[in-house]
Amino acid sequence: MTDSSEVHRWVERYIHAWASNDPADIEALFTDDARYFTAPYRTPWSGRDEIVRGWLDRASEPGTWTFRHEVFAVHGDLAFVQGWTNERDDPDPDAWNLWIVRFDEHGRASEFVEWWMIPE
């Protein structure tokens, strides 16, 4: 069973990995056979190696962004996280995010789906 405090800790580790771009930090978040959807209907990155490769191909420069989040809901092994990504020194969100994350019994993501919108 997953609870909101466990999800919050996982998101904090995700943010750390986002800032470090360290392959070990990224790998630690996911199961061996995880699927990572960069948008709901895109072909996912499948497995840790592909997730790390895809992540690093799209890596953000550390220190150029901020991210805040709220665990919106948790149901069994499924969590819903709302997030806001900002370019540094810009108070308005550059992207609004909804993450749907399925966890295994060890608190690693087996599926990650990102829905995001750019506000007008």
Side-chain angles (χ1 to χ4, degrees):
M1 179 68 78
T2 301
D3 66 32
S4 61
S5 63
E6 292 171 352
V7 175
H8 175 73
R9 284 191 297 276
W10 184 89
V11 173
E12 290 297 320
R13 291 192 338 264
Y14 184 102
I15 294 167
H16 175 79
W18 189 359
S20 74
N21 291 316
D22 182 327
D25 292 341
I26 301 164
E27 287 175 356
L29 297 167
F30 300 97
T31 61
D32 290 336
D33 60 348
R35 296 182 319 147
Y36 189 116
F37 293 82
T38 59
Y41 300 105
R42 290 188 184 147
T43 302
W45 301 332
S46 295
R48 279 186 181 151
D49 291 342
E50 192 172 338
I51 290 169
V52 170
R53 197 169 32 256
W55 182 306
L56 294 176
D57 285 347
R58 298 174 57 173
S60 299
E61 187 68 31
T64 62
W65 52 269
T66 60
F67 182 79
R68 62 187 172 90
H69 73 281
E70 175 183 334
V71 177
F72 187 66
V74 178
H75 181 72
D77 65 351
L78 197 59
F80 302 86
V81 178
Q82 184 174 8
W84 299 267
T85 306
N86 296 73
E87 293 295 320
R88 186 61 97 197
D89 301 325
D90 182 358
D92 297 320
D94 295 304
W96 295 0
N97 306 272
L98 173 61
W99 294 350
I100 302 171
V101 188
R102 187 171 304 278
F103 293 95
D104 74 355
E105 65 276 7
H106 303 290
R108 293 174 301 193
S110 61
E111 186 171 88
F112 178 96
V113 182
E114 180 176 25
W115 299 68
W116 52 273
M117 296 180 285
I118 305 295
E120 293 186 19

